[in-house]
Amino acid sequence: MFSRTPIAAALLFALAATGCSEPAPSKDAAAQPAAAQATSTTAVTAENPLLKPSPLQYQYPEFDKIKDEHYLPAFTQGMSEHIAEINTIANNTEAATFDNTIVAMEKSGQLLTRTATMFFNISGANTNDTLDKVSSEIAPKLAAHQDQIYLNAALFARVKALFDGREALGLDAESKRLVEQYYADFVRSGALLTEEQKVRIQQINGELASLQDNFSQNVLKEVNASALVVDTKEELAGLSDDAITAAAEEAKNRNLAGKYVLTLQNTSTQPALAALTNRGTREKLLKASLERGSHGGEFDNSKVLTTVAKLRAERANILGFPHFAASSLENQTAKTAEAVNERLAGIAPAAVANAKKEAAELQAMIKAEGGDFELAAWDWSFYTEKVRKAKYDFDESQLKPYFEMNNVLENGVFFAATQLYGITFKERKDLPVYHPDVRVFEVFDADGSSMGFFLADMYARSSKQGGAWMNAYVSQSGLMGTKPVIANHLNIPKPANGQPTLMTFDEVTTTFHEFGHALHGLFSNVKYPYFSGTAVPRDFVEYPSQVNEMWAVWPEILKNYAKHYQTGEAMPQALLDKVFASSKFNQGHDTTAYLAAALLDQSWHQLKPEQVPAPEKLLEFEAQALKNAGVDFAAVPPRYRSTYFSHIVGGYAAGYYAYIWSEVLDADTVEWFKENGGLSRKNGDHFRATLLSRGGSEDAMTVFKQFRGKEPDINALLNRRGLK
């Protein structure tokens, strides 16, 4: 996950991870001083550890000392201090200079940034009812706070003066870019609007902040509430003994002793569908997943989402854009909605055609086994494994014994980073953590110097948002003298006590992917917090992480970590060969499911306010949007349905296309590595120096061309996905 703000680089970054990437005010909050907005909070006490930087190495958070009740007071004081700092900058009687305006803003708001970063990271990884209430209360206040800054006329006048005269300031390239980015962000926030328009923008921002927080909380609560409860072990036939034991333990934890509970993951398709032999159970499981947030009840997101879409469209219109996608894409590498539409439309027909070919193979397998039913979405994963076994003589379950989680992390992910970049890792058990499952590693550069910390939070739990993501507790900055503290979060089901954690191949790939984001943060070498680490366009941020996936199947790396958890024997070469031979298998399904979600995202965000459907028409709108885009294939539902599509209510609004957009760069980069000898320090050092270390300090495509030496070639992607 990623994002940024021109005032506190970590604030929007943290908010994006919880679906609140555009903080903004309620109707009455905007005109009030920040301190007055939180009169209900308790007094700030000297014992609050958030009030000062952590004394631990690299400002590593004092997880063991920070309590739920510390957040609201710290937010209150942080906003008050920040506004005071901003007012001092804005009202400075001296002429605006780069140092007394731009650098001063970069240094401002440290308490607020520290509090927001900590709060939103923790509320995403290990929330509770108290934190949910804090989130609901603070979201509109943060929105009002940001509007007080972005819409401060005196402050903007100083920024504009520097922007207009930037060529004569004698700035280095990174500093000049910072001035340009500040100016653009102020304008995008409404600094050039009339006073009447500013008032309406503030109202919209406040409503959006609350709605986005509500949506995010509903998604997590609904995924827990919608877990499938079954009465008998027979209904779970096909699952491993460990999986059935885990389902029984989950039922016991929910006071349902004697029953079994299959918890849901964030995506539409659920892992258990590949193994369950009972078709009725498969149908119930997938329907429980697909109906999340749209079947009425306390956590229904239909009204929330349609209201968000309408408000975003109105806000875009006020800012002079035809729709929200246009306003959002202006500062991405894609630049325009038309470019995104063209890319998605260019891939969709081939993807759907491939998916239909795959469906025909699955239907043939059903018929061969005597089945007299038509392939449905809940059958896809189950019969895919049968076809995979028939075509390639192996199924996914054969791989899991070779993918023990600690082996994957230490002898796979870390080993690859050592071979490529020379960095090493040492576990630090002396540092506090926010949950017993979290592991902490100190990272050392090739010369032995300490670079920062990496936290690995691998297991799923009911207090954790779905999916997988990276965030920063501390971001690197030369100006601030900080080194990175980076975390990866996954949602791997935790096995029964005493059992090994055996991963699916998708989970292995995801682990490598998220560590690619971590490397982007760890290798950051920029001056200003604004540009640190993953503070790049969202259709570029997935690129380095996708590149890192290549090492999961690189022979030298795979040989080092893919070892049987009981015998220690390496994965047989014959099985490896089958993995590689089947690499394009089921790509039609996977690409279509992804594209359907990306196209839904664009459909919602290319609407005018009056075109947004009523809540009760949401599913009808979704179906029509998929049909219009040519991806309405019932056997392949979207990777996310609208009502639990957290990405597009958070930091990836109008931006879910970013994965396929970034994959063009990724696939071309993989070809570069192959052309230049693959896994080597020389190649890793080049990638790090020209791209991974630059953060957002240079234009994203300029950075890519500095690394690659030319424009990206889409053919590598088409070949990878079997679309050419």
Side-chain angles (χ1 to χ4, degrees):
M1 308 295 282
F2 79 104
S3 194
R4 65 185 178 199
T5 170
I7 306 303
L11 179 57
L12 277 185
F13 175 80
L15 290 168
T18 57
C20 301
S21 62
E22 295 180 288
S26 63
K27 289 185 179 180
D28 301 322
Q32 302 175 19
Q37 295 172 23
T39 54
S40 63
T41 63
T42 59
V44 177
T45 65
E47 291 74 29
N48 190 330
L50 290 169
L51 299 186
K52 59 185 183 303
S54 169
L56 299 178
Q57 185 180 358
Y58 305 145
Q59 299 181 33
Y60 180 93
E62 295 182 283
F63 292 112
D64 55 335
K65 295 182 179 179
I66 299 172
K67 296 179 170 53
D68 294 349
E69 60 265 26
H70 290 144
Y71 288 112
L72 271 177
F75 269 121
T76 301
Q77 183 166 326
M79 287 187 287
S80 179
E81 289 182 4
H82 193 197
I83 287 299
E85 293 166 342
I86 290 297
N87 287 338
T88 297
I89 298 167
N91 299 327
N92 190 342
T93 57
E94 296 180 3
T97 67
F98 180 73
D99 286 336
N100 72 18
T101 301
I102 304 297
V103 173
M105 283 195 285
E106 281 289 275
K107 291 181 176 179
S108 70
Q110 292 184 43
L111 171 56
L112 179 58
T113 296
R114 183 166 60 250
T115 302
T117 300
M118 183 70 181
F119 175 78
F120 288 107
N121 287 353
I122 290 297
S123 62
N126 197 34
T127 195
N128 56 47
D129 290 344
T130 300
L131 295 185
D132 286 347
K133 290 177 182 177
V134 173
S135 183
S136 297
E137 181 173 346
I138 205 65
K141 293 175 181 177
L142 284 173
H145 178 78
Q146 285 213 154
D147 280 341
Q148 281 185 274
I149 297 167
Y150 284 127
L151 302 180
N152 183 316
L155 183 63
F156 177 61
R158 296 178 71 85
V159 172
K160 186 176 186 302
L162 292 170
F163 174 78
D164 291 342
R166 64 193 182 282
E167 300 298 342
L169 295 177
L171 301 175
D172 60 63
E174 184 177 346
S175 299
K176 179 183 174 185
R177 179 170 171 79
L178 187 64
V179 172
E180 294 169 344
Q181 292 299 109
Y182 264 78
Y183 178 78
D185 284 330
F186 271 83
V187 171
R188 275 194 292 269
S189 298
L192 294 176
L193 298 177
T194 67
E195 289 306 311
E196 182 180 357
Q197 289 173 321
K198 288 179 181 179
V199 169
R200 180 54 187 153
I201 285 286
Q202 291 172 331
Q203 293 171 343
I204 291 172
N205 288 346
E207 293 177 57
L208 282 173
S210 295
L211 288 165
Q212 289 165 180
D213 179 75
N214 189 12
F215 186 97
S216 179
Q217 292 192 30
N218 282 346
V219 168
L220 179 57
K221 292 172 181 175
E222 178 81 312
V223 80
N224 290 324
S226 297
L228 181 65
V229 181
V230 298
D231 296 323
T232 66
K233 186 176 180 179
E234 288 70 29
E235 293 172 273
L236 302 182
L239 296 185
S240 67
D241 290 341
D242 288 345
I244 292 173
T245 300
E249 288 190 0
E250 180 65 27
K252 195 178 299 181
N253 292 339
R254 295 174 179 235
N255 297 318
L256 296 170
K259 296 182 184 293
Y260 302 85
V261 172
L262 294 179
T263 57
L264 299 181
Q265 292 195 12
N266 213 34
T267 53
S268 295
T269 299
Q270 302 298 312
L273 293 170
L276 287 165
T277 59
N278 186 311
R279 190 168 189 250
T281 305
R282 293 201 305 269
E283 180 178 0
K284 290 175 185 176
L285 180 61
L286 185 60
K287 285 185 174 179
S289 177
L290 294 175
E291 291 171 0
R292 281 176 286 160
S294 63
H295 56 89
E298 185 181 359
F299 310 129
D300 192 294
N301 263 332
S302 301
K303 185 176 181 179
V304 179
L305 179 61
T306 53
T307 306
V308 165
K310 183 170 291 188
L311 289 171
R312 282 177 172 170
E314 182 187 351
R315 187 180 189 277
N317 286 175
I318 293 171
L319 290 169
F321 296 95
H323 44 65
F324 177 82
S327 66
S328 177
L329 292 167
E330 182 188 45
N331 64 336
Q332 305 301 310
T333 64
K335 301 300 183 187
T336 68
E338 290 73 23
V340 173
N341 293 343
E342 183 179 354
R343 174 66 54 82
L344 298 180
I347 298 173
V352 175
N354 275 11
K356 289 184 176 179
K357 289 178 184 177
E358 293 164 0
E361 289 187 276
L362 303 186
Q363 190 68 58
M365 175 63 74
I366 292 171
K367 183 177 180 181
E369 291 190 346
D372 60 353
F373 55 87
E374 185 175 346
L375 174 74
W378 48 85
D379 300 314
W380 192 289
S381 296
F382 183 73
Y383 284 96
T384 288
E385 290 310 308
K386 287 179 173 289
V387 172
R388 191 197 309 270
K389 184 172 179 60
K391 291 183 71 170
Y392 303 102
D393 192 29
F394 95 102
D395 58 54
E396 289 279 2
S397 64
Q398 291 176 271
L399 301 177
K400 291 184 71 171
Y402 297 95
F403 295 149
E404 191 276 324
M405 187 176 72
N406 292 330
N407 240 357
V408 170
L409 181 64
E410 297 185 39
N411 298 319
V413 174
F414 290 174
F415 177 74
T418 300
Q419 297 303 300
L420 199 58
Y421 306 109
I423 62 176
T424 54
F425 305 81
K426 178 184 178 182
E427 189 159 11
R428 291 285 300 270
K429 296 187 178 181
D430 58 312
L431 293 170
V433 291
Y434 56 85
H435 190 279
D437 289 338
V438 178
R439 300 175 68 188
V440 185
F441 299 86
E442 187 170 1
V443 186
F444 297 89
D445 214 337
D447 62 2
S449 61
S450 180
M451 296 173 58
F453 289 119
F454 170 71
L455 290 76
D457 182 358
M458 307 293 281
Y459 288 120
R461 51 183 171 269
S462 60
S463 61
K464 191 180 192 180
Q465 69 181 36
W469 70 98
M470 164 270 195
N471 56 24
Y473 284 94
V474 181
S475 296
Q476 178 274 332
S477 166
L479 178 69
M480 308 303 291
T482 52
K483 290 192 175 184
V485 178
I486 305 297
N488 275 174
H489 310 80
L490 280 77
N491 268 280
I492 298 168
K494 192 171 185 178
N497 289 336
Q499 297 301 311
T501 304
L502 304 181
M503 302 169 70
T504 66
F505 188 56
D506 280 348
E507 289 166 344
V508 171
T509 303
T510 299
T511 305
F512 276 85
H513 175 102
E514 293 306 327
F515 195 71
H517 286 307
L519 289 171
H520 208 174
L522 287 165
F523 286 154
S524 178
N525 185 23
V526 300
K527 183 174 182 179
Y528 301 109
Y530 187 104
F531 295 130
S532 185
T534 56
V536 298
R538 65 174 163 262
D539 54 8
F540 191 82
V541 75
E542 296 299 334
Y543 155 52
S545 57
Q546 288 172 325
V547 169
N548 206 57
E549 293 179 27
M550 72 181 286
W551 308 117
V553 294
W554 196 263
E556 183 180 347
I557 305 301
L558 193 61
K559 183 179 179 181
N560 197 63
Y561 78 86
K563 298 179 179 180
H564 199 283
Y565 78 101
Q566 291 175 315
T567 67
E569 294 180 2
M571 184 183 290
Q573 186 62 45
L575 186 54
L576 285 176
D577 292 342
K578 292 170 185 176
V579 172
F580 295 130
S582 65
S583 62
K584 294 181 182 178
F585 181 71
N586 211 41
Q587 278 295 311
H589 172 279
D590 293 350
T591 306
T592 300
Y594 163 76
L595 288 173
L599 287 159
L600 273 180
D601 174 26
Q602 292 303 315
S603 295
W604 280 110
H605 290 120
Q606 292 184 27
L607 295 173
K608 297 177 181 178
E610 64 273 15
Q611 294 175 323
V612 175
E616 62 273 15
K617 297 288 186 179
L618 182 148
L619 295 180
E620 183 180 315
F621 169 82
E622 182 178 279
Q624 189 62 48
L626 295 175
K627 183 177 181 179
N628 292 344
V631 290
D632 56 332
F633 186 22
V636 184
R639 183 171 173 79
Y640 300 98
R641 298 285 298 276
S642 301
T643 50
Y644 52 89
F645 202 168
S646 295
H647 293 74
I648 67 167
V649 176
Y652 282 67
Y656 195 64
Y657 76 93
Y659 291 90
I660 202 82
W661 194 274
S662 294
E663 195 177 350
V664 173
L665 309 181
D666 153 38
D668 195 37
T669 298
V670 170
E671 292 305 307
W672 180 90
F673 272 99
K674 291 177 179 177
E675 292 165 5
N676 288 275
L679 185 73
S680 73
R681 279 292 308 282
K682 179 181 178 182
N683 287 343
D685 288 346
H686 176 66
F687 192 44
R688 174 179 176 176
T690 59
L691 197 143
L692 291 179
S693 65
R694 303 311 305 141
S697 64
E698 298 178 68
D699 173 75
M701 292 310 298
T702 299
V703 168
F704 174 82
K705 285 181 279 190
Q706 287 172 356
F707 157 71
R708 185 66 171 100
K710 65 182 184 68
E711 296 282 348
D713 182 356
I714 195 173
N715 286 302
L717 168 67
L718 299 179
N719 285 327
R720 172 191 289 183
R721 287 188 172 258
L723 300 177
K724 189 176 181 183

